Structures are given as C-alpha cells and as structure tokens.
C-alpha cells in the first residue's frame, strides 16, 4: 500500500510528466518509482505542516507482518541480490521473528531512527513511524485484507482526496487505478497460510509477536 500511496502523491505532484513518461499508479514499484525519494520527508523535518492534509493508512498488524514476511523473506529472498534479506534466516519464521525483536530492542536503546535497516522499515510497528497523538487532525484509515474492506479503503481514500480538493479528473484516474492489481498483489501467496499456521500454532512465537506489535493493536483498535 505504501507504494500505491507514494505513486498517487507523485501523480498529483507531477501530473502531466507522470503520464507522459508512460507511468501508472498501479504499476509503480518502490525500486523504480518515478519520483524516487524527492517527495519524501524525514521524520524529523522542521517544516510547518499545520495546514497539511494528513493521512495514514494502517494495516492489521498480523496481516502486515505475514504479508511482508512472505513477500520479503520467502519470495524475494530467493533472488541472489536479495538473499541477505530478513537477517539471513533463510525463510525461518522463528529465526526472523526473534531477530526482529532483538533488533527492535536494540534500536530503542540507541533511539537513532535514521539507522533503521531494510527489515525495520518494513516490519517495525506502525506506531513507531509517527507520533500519532501529536496530530489529532490526521485521518487514519484502517486496512484489512478482504474484498469488503478493500472497497471501504478505496472509498475512504477517495473521500479524503476529494476533501483535500483534488480535481475531479484526477480523482477519476486514481479511482480507476485503485481497481487494478499491482505487481505485488499478483504474486502467488498460496503458501502464506503455512507460515500463518506456524505462528498461530506456537504460543511462544505468538507471545513474541505480541511483544513487538501490541501497541499497534491498542492504538489503532485492531482485534487479534
């Protein structure tokens, strides 16, 4: 979802150049995104954002973790250039979860969020990336992976853009793009349930998972 969000912002920012370069929101990938990191802002930015339209889309912690684990630690780690992903755990869920916990604890002692590694950027709790209580006017949309929830997500996202006074023609283009599958969505996730069963079937692993992600459940109101 983060790639879709940045692609949407890039389209709104670069409009004609984005389309003229034969780009589309649903086909953007993180590695080759049209705007690169030019539209990103560091978490410690001193910009005045009091008049910004702020939006966060948060995913159910379990769905986010399992989807990320399968995509990054199983599928992509089979490619030689990504073999070092996921702490070198070679597809072991327990190895990865324990190393993620250890690295998260280590980060909390240094409090140097500029040094977050690849795994941290994709797996650390969502509430670590923003002080949500500091921005009470931020729109937070919860994302769960079901057809009904995806329809609600698209509707809420488009309503947010409309309230932010995005032009009607742009809204129609974005709406059409949101109904198309991205390269990430079309990957085979048929084996994901094997790893989900491994996590849910082990009280030890489940306890470790909750130690990491407990406050995402609390802050965003998700049920386990």
């Amino acid at each position: 979802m983060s790639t879709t969000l940045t692609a949407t912002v890039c389209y709104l920012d670069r409009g004609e150049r984005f389309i003229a370069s034969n780009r589309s929101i649903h086909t953007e990938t993180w590695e080759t995104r049209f705007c690169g990191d030019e539209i990103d802002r560091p978490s410690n930015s001193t910009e005045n954002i009091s008049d910004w339209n702020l939006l966060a889309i948060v995913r159910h912690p379990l769905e986010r973790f399992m989807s990320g684990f399968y995509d990054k630690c199983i599928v992509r780690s089979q490619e030689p250039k990504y073999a070092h992903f996921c702490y070198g755990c070679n597809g072991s869920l327990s190895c990865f979860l324990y190393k993620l916990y250890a690295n998260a604890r280590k980060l909390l002692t240094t409090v140097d969020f500029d040094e977050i590694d690849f795994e941290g950027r994709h797996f650390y709790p969502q509430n670590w990336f923003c002080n949500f209580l500091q921005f009470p006017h931020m729109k937070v949309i919860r994302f769960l992976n079901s057809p009904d929830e995806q329809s609600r997500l698209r509707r809420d996202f488009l309503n947010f853009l409309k309230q932010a006074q995005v032009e009607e023609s742009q809204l129609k283009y974005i709406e059409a793009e949101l109904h198309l599958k991205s390269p990430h969505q079309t990957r085979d996730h048929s084996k994901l349930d094997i790893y989900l069963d491994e996590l849910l079937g082990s009280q030890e692993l489940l306890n470790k998972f909750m130690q990491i992600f407990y406050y995402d459940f609390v802050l965003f109101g998700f049920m386990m």
Side-chain angles (χ1 to χ4, degrees):
M1 191 66 205
S2 59
T3 303
T4 300
L5 279 175
T6 55
T8 301
V9 173
C10 181
Y11 162 69
L12 292 173
D13 186 61
R14 307 287 171 85
E16 293 181 2
R17 280 187 288 163
F18 185 86
I19 300 298
S21 298
N22 200 29
R23 296 288 188 138
S24 59
I25 291 173
H26 83 280
T27 58
E28 286 287 271
T29 63
W30 190 263
E31 294 85 356
T32 62
R33 52 194 181 139
F34 185 66
C35 287
D37 59 2
E38 296 175 21
I39 59 174
D40 294 345
R41 295 292 186 275
S43 59
N44 60 352
S45 173
T46 58
E47 290 184 77
N48 180 9
I49 61 173
S50 59
D51 61 344
W52 287 24
N53 296 288
L54 301 179
L55 170 70
I57 295 180
V58 295
R59 191 171 185 182
H60 189 287
L62 182 60
E63 290 182 0
R64 174 176 174 260
F65 175 80
M66 294 309 307
S67 175
F69 175 79
Y70 188 75
D71 179 60
K72 306 297 186 299
C73 306
I74 303 299
V75 178
R76 296 184 66 182
S77 65
Q78 295 178 11
E79 303 174 35
K81 65 178 179 178
Y82 299 129
H84 62 287
F85 279 8
C86 302
Y87 307 122
C89 284
N90 297 316
S92 169
L93 176 64
S94 59
C95 168
F96 177 70
L97 190 58
Y98 272 86
K99 287 192 174 183
L100 179 68
Y101 176 79
N103 279 272
R105 292 276 305 214
K106 183 179 179 181
L107 179 65
L108 289 179
T109 63
T110 62
V111 199
D112 188 358
F113 282 83
D114 291 330
E115 297 300 320
I116 293 181
D117 55 15
F118 169 87
E119 290 81 5
R121 290 196 302 274
H122 288 278
F123 290 97
Y124 284 161
Q126 294 164 97
N127 72 83
W128 284 20
F129 294 91
C130 175
N131 184 355
F132 287 90
L133 298 180
Q134 185 179 345
F135 305 105
H137 62 295
M138 177 182 289
K139 173 68 174 178
V140 177
I141 299 176
R142 300 193 309 168
F143 172 39
L144 290 91
N145 192 26
S146 72
D148 287 345
E149 287 294 324
Q150 290 179 15
S151 295
R152 181 191 57 77
L153 169 63
R154 286 192 295 267
R155 184 175 63 252
D156 290 350
F157 182 43
L158 290 167
N159 284 338
F160 171 82
L161 295 177
K162 186 174 183 179
Q163 291 172 5
Q165 300 182 349
V166 171
E167 295 179 6
E168 189 65 29
S169 59
Q170 293 177 314
L171 287 173
K172 289 181 178 179
Y173 170 77
I174 293 169
E175 181 176 14
E177 287 289 304
L178 292 177
H179 280 87
L180 301 174
K181 287 188 175 182
S182 70
H184 174 72
Q185 288 175 305
T186 56
R187 290 178 184 158
D188 180 14
H189 285 68
S190 60
K191 296 181 180 179
L192 189 150
D193 285 347
I194 296 174
Y195 300 97
L196 178 60
D197 290 343
E198 180 183 353
L199 176 60
L200 297 181
S202 168
Q203 192 61 53
E204 181 181 348
L205 292 182
L206 196 55
N207 287 344
K208 189 60 62 177
F209 172 82
M210 290 303 295
Q211 283 182 291
I212 301 172
F213 298 105
Y214 175 75
Y215 280 104
D216 271 359
F217 285 94
V218 172
L219 183 60
F220 303 123
F222 287 113
M223 300 293 291
M224 180 58 188

